Amino acid sequence: MRLPRTRPRSLAGQLFAMQVVLIAAVVAGCAVFAYASGSAQAEETAARQVRVAALAVADSPSVREAIRTPDPSAVLQPYAERVREDTGIAFVTIMDTERVRWTHPDTSQIGDTFLGNTAKALRGQTFTETYTGTLGPSIRVVTPIRDGGRIVGLVSAGITVDRVSSQVREQLGALALAAGGALALGGFGTYVINARLRRHTHGMNAAELSRLHDYHQATLHAVREGLLMLDGRRRIALINDAGRELLGLGPDTEAVGRTVDELALPAPLTGALLASESRVDELHLTADRVIVVNTRPVVGGEQRGTVVTLRDHTELQALTGELDSERGFTQALRSQAHEAANRLHTVVSLIELGRVEEAVDFATAELELAQVLTDRVVGAVEEPVLAALLLGKAAQANERGVELVLAEDSLIDDGALPPSLAQRDLVTILGNLIDNAVDAASEGPEGAEGPAESGAAVPGPRAAGVPAGRARVTVTALADERELLLRVADTGAGIGPEAADEVFRRGWSTHGAGRGLGLALVRQAAHRNGGTVELDAGPDGGARFTVRLPLGDRTAKSEAAGARAKEVTA
């Protein structure tokens, strides 16, 4: 029959058993040491006590006078008994130099020979010994009695070993009681501490805790979401690899133990992490990413900290922008198809009316008008992504009554942009700038109706020669050997100097809440590629945004590649 597998004792239980054994061993050791030291101390005290009594008797003048009498026992016996009773020792024996007793607690022993060593005393020394006499084993002191420099007798005072042992046993009872109390108190304290430990470890044993730690570490490193745990003082208690990456903290940066304020994060993100209330799916921007922040305080009677999760929203935000552009393109194509149908019906009607030449002129004029911008864009911008974006945005702008113009000095050769410059970032930068410019131009110089949410849009001076009411967006795209320049200017109301520092902040918009992410994404994409974004007044009175992205020295790179090729050929 297979026996059920027993679960190993919990960590708290193991610690409790070990601590109880340790406390018992310590208490037992202390008790044995106290008993041994108490026994030695009791013997030492007894020896000191009988030595004092023996010396006092030997130095007594009455004892010397009694020794001179014909019957010393008659005087010395009562005296010795009084001394014995007063000092609490076992016996005081006074004898002559021939070891014949003059005194003894047992009067029948008077006149008999003293049992013990006296040689040292006869030589004038006082010594201590343990000897078995008529009263049993005893600790005794023997000292000489001098009369004018001559030894006339000896005194032996002693206490039995049994009496010393009884005193030690009395002390041992108190010691055992104290040791038992210490053991009980230590066991109770250990039980209380381990009960609390059992609650904190949930009754798991060491192997389970170790396995849980391994799973915990593996999960932290495997999860793609950023995880951040803050203690009650808003210091970082735990952060995983994804959290470090999303917050821009290098692997060598010491983050644990630092406060959120020390991480140099954007102010809105820092405020969200320090907030005492929960935050749900808040969108925040760092220097390189768009992240979604969720926070929840850890509460257990008192606030103990905050759990923060971070999700990378950069790719999704870029895809959302591209989807919005595709939707715009679709709407523009739908409108253009509708207009093309109207124009086709017009041409067909003119032919049916017999006005063939007018039909041809009408169709040719419409075709030339549509082909001018296409030829201009394709001829100047050979980068296919940017060319397609410009043509699509031109169609969108035309639907809103805004003319999109490509500046005369625009030129981007095919292959001018390095592969390291992400096409998605180019779409984010130029697409958002054109969208904002079209919005501003469609509203016109008087389109802004008062202060914006986080800044005011005020009209700027109009350039000479720009027709009143003509909405236009001018785009410049120019790439040389060192940098790519993207510039978008509009004929809108412009942006006042007091709002110039706020336009790139998430949430800033002249169109109310729920907008204001595009320019923040533009700055983020430019920063991600080592570029800059500048804002000033455009030549047509509106705002002008200039983005510069470094491309590196392509000539030097080509020469280096050629040199390497020659080396390989050689």
Side-chain angles (χ1 to χ4, degrees):
M1 179 177 179
R2 186 176 180 180
L3 296 177
R5 188 175 181 179
T6 59
R7 184 175 181 268
R9 187 184 296 271
S10 67
L11 177 63
Q14 294 177 9
L15 290 177
F16 176 73
M18 182 181 66
Q19 289 173 346
V20 168
V21 171
L22 181 61
I23 291 174
V26 170
V27 172
C30 291
V32 171
F33 175 77
Y35 175 74
S37 62
S39 299
Q41 185 177 7
E43 292 179 0
E44 183 181 354
T45 301
R48 187 166 54 250
Q49 182 181 2
V50 297
R51 183 183 183 88
V52 170
L55 292 174
V57 171
D59 291 339
S60 175
S62 60
V63 172
R64 290 193 293 270
E65 291 177 1
I67 293 175
R68 299 189 192 105
T69 63
D71 187 9
S73 295
V75 178
L76 295 178
Q77 176 66 17
Y79 173 76
E81 286 301 300
R82 285 196 305 271
V83 172
R84 183 182 67 82
E85 293 175 358
D86 292 342
T87 57
I89 60 179
F91 64 88
V92 176
T93 300
I94 304 173
M95 68 198 83
D96 60 14
T97 55
E98 299 297 330
R99 300 171 61 188
V100 177
R101 299 188 187 99
W102 286 328
T103 65
H104 195 278
D106 184 3
T107 56
S108 63
Q109 299 292 331
I110 297 175
D112 292 341
T113 301
F114 173 75
L115 300 178
N117 300 313
T118 59
K120 293 182 180 179
L122 292 174
R123 292 196 299 268
Q125 299 178 12
T126 300
F127 67 94
T128 303
E129 68 173 353
T130 300
Y131 195 86
T132 302
T134 58
L135 301 178
S138 63
I139 300 172
R140 59 180 62 180
V141 173
V142 182
T143 185
I145 302 173
R146 290 182 174 87
D147 187 3
R150 184 172 59 90
I151 296 176
V152 296
L154 303 174
V155 177
S156 177
I159 184 170
T160 60
V161 174
D162 290 340
R163 182 176 296 182
V164 175
S165 299
S166 65
Q167 293 176 356
V168 174
R169 283 193 295 270
E170 292 176 0
Q171 296 176 357
L172 183 61
L175 178 63
L177 183 62
L183 182 60
L185 182 61
F188 176 74
T190 302
Y191 174 78
V192 172
I193 294 174
N194 282 273
R196 183 175 182 182
L197 178 62
R198 187 179 295 106
R199 289 195 301 270
H200 286 303
T201 58
H202 302 284
M204 291 186 288
N205 56 43
E208 291 172 335
L209 288 174
S210 177
R211 185 165 57 252
L212 181 63
H213 176 267
D214 293 340
Y215 289 157
H216 172 266
Q217 292 297 320
T219 302
L220 285 180
H221 290 288
V223 69
R224 295 291 301 274
E225 273 195 352
L227 180 61
L228 187 68
M229 294 186 182
L230 308 177
D231 61 16
R233 299 174 62 182
R234 295 300 187 270
R235 295 177 304 187
I236 298 177
L238 183 145
I239 184 171
N240 66 348
D241 297 340
R244 286 178 173 274
E245 182 180 358
L246 292 177
L247 295 180
L249 304 177
D252 298 331
T253 303
E254 185 62 33
V256 177
R258 299 174 61 185
T259 60
V260 175
D261 296 333
E262 299 175 0
L263 300 182
L265 300 175
L269 178 56
T270 300
L273 298 180
L274 294 177
S276 58
E277 69 278 2
S278 298
R279 300 295 181 94
V280 179
D281 290 341
E282 282 195 359
L283 200 64
H284 290 273
L285 277 78
T286 65
D288 301 318
R289 297 179 181 274
V290 180
I291 59 177
V292 178
V293 178
N294 286 273
T295 68
R296 181 176 293 275
V298 179
V299 179
E302 61 181 20
Q303 185 164 338
R304 299 178 180 175
T306 306
V307 176
V308 181
T309 60
L310 308 171
R311 296 199 310 272
D312 191 356
H313 205 264
T314 308
E315 298 293 329
L316 181 59
Q317 189 64 41
L319 292 175
T320 302
E322 293 179 7
L323 179 60
D324 291 340
S325 297
E326 294 296 334
R327 288 174 178 172
F329 294 159
T330 302
Q331 294 176 357
L333 290 175
R334 185 180 297 114
S335 299
Q336 287 181 348
H338 182 71
E339 287 296 320
N342 291 335
R343 291 166 184 168
L344 181 60
H345 290 314
T346 302
V347 171
V348 171
S349 298
L350 288 174
I351 293 175
E352 290 178 348
L353 294 174
R355 300 182 178 184
V356 177
E357 294 183 359
E358 294 180 8
V360 172
D361 292 339
F362 178 80
T364 304
E366 290 295 324
L367 180 61
E368 291 177 352
L369 184 63
Q371 194 67 27
V372 169
L373 180 61
T374 301
D375 294 340
R376 177 77 184 93
V377 170
V378 173
V381 181
E382 297 184 13
E383 178 64 33
V385 173
L386 292 182
L389 177 66
L390 288 172
L391 292 175
K393 292 299 181 182
Q396 289 180 331
N398 185 59
E399 292 298 322
R400 300 183 60 181
V402 178
E403 180 186 5
L404 191 147
V405 179
L406 186 63
E408 293 295 333
D409 57 346
S410 296
L411 179 61
I412 298 179
D413 295 330
D414 187 18
L417 303 183
S420 59
L421 185 58
Q423 295 180 345
R424 178 170 295 174
D425 288 341
L426 294 177
V427 172
T428 297
I429 293 172
L430 192 57
N432 281 288
L433 291 180
I434 294 177
D435 288 341
N436 287 346
V438 170
D439 288 341
S442 64
E443 295 176 354
E446 307 299 332
E449 299 179 358
E453 181 182 8
S454 302
V458 296
R462 296 189 60 83
V466 177
R470 179 73 175 274
R472 183 170 59 187
V473 172
T474 303
V475 178
T476 303
L478 177 63
D480 58 18
E481 293 182 352
R482 296 187 178 276
E483 70 175 10
L484 169 65
L485 182 144
L486 300 175
R487 178 178 291 136
V488 179
D490 61 69
T491 58
I495 298 175
E498 67 278 4
D501 295 333
E502 295 290 325
V503 294
F504 298 105
R505 179 176 57 84
R506 185 184 72 86
W508 188 95
S509 175
T510 59
H511 298 84
R515 303 287 295 275
L517 186 61
L519 291 178
L521 293 176
V522 168
R523 184 175 67 173
Q524 186 185 78
H527 180 273
R528 187 162 50 242
N529 290 277
T532 61
V533 183
E534 298 175 358
L535 168 64
D536 59 1
D540 295 334
R544 180 173 64 179
F545 290 88
T546 303
V547 178
R548 300 179 185 273
L549 302 178
L551 301 179
D553 192 345
R554 290 184 286 117
T555 302
K557 293 180 181 178
S558 299
E559 292 177 355
R564 287 194 299 269
K566 291 180 181 179
E567 292 177 359
V568 173
T569 304

